Amino acid sequence: MKRRHNLWKGIVLGMLLLVMGACSNKQSLQRYYVDSVEKEGFVSLDIPSGMLNITNAELTEDQKEAYNSIKKLNVLALPVTAENRSVYEAEKAKVNSILSGENFHDLLRLSDKNKRAVLKYLGNEDAIEEVIFFGTDNDRGFALVRILGKDMNPEKMVEFIKIIEKADIDDDKLGELKGLFGE
């Protein structure tokens, strides 16, 4: 009887430890998106890959493979103004904290004066499920782009960036984001 009681205590203790570990207070990138979409000053946009207006005939084989692995892009941006500079700094720090987590792997980092950009991914090198672009410009604001797909290849993501440069996205869909990126 005592052995059975100890077994149940062990099971309950194990479940408690599991639940406590799962309920970490570190915010996930998904939770940050959901929480920020409705906040004042943020601009968000979901772009299905089909909206990029890319013709497969124009693409190399690597670009086709990269493009076909993409499902959609989630864009969240916060333009900076004189009135929201402290909010901008706080939100930028939150995103940097989230992206410093051990689950995120670096693909690329760029820096120029007051502009910074980082490209990271979630998953393993053979099958990326999400690529994250976080670009900041202390004069304009920041953009956080989640590229969602299935079995994306990190080396082919460079090809995807080339595809985006060719994309003809409807200007009406971009709205406020155009001003943030200086177009």
Side-chain angles (χ1 to χ4, degrees), residues 132-150:
I132 299 95
F133 169 82
F134 182 52
T136 63
D137 180 329
N138 290 334
D139 296 328
R140 293 190 178 173
F142 72 69
L144 182 60
V145 181
R146 295 174 63 214
I147 304 168
L148 305 169
K150 181 133 176 82

Side-chain angles (χ1 to χ4, degrees), residues 36-42 78 84 87:
S36 299
V37 165
E38 299 298 321
K39 285 183 183 177
E40 184 179 336
F42 280 89
L78 179 61
N84 77 348
V87 171

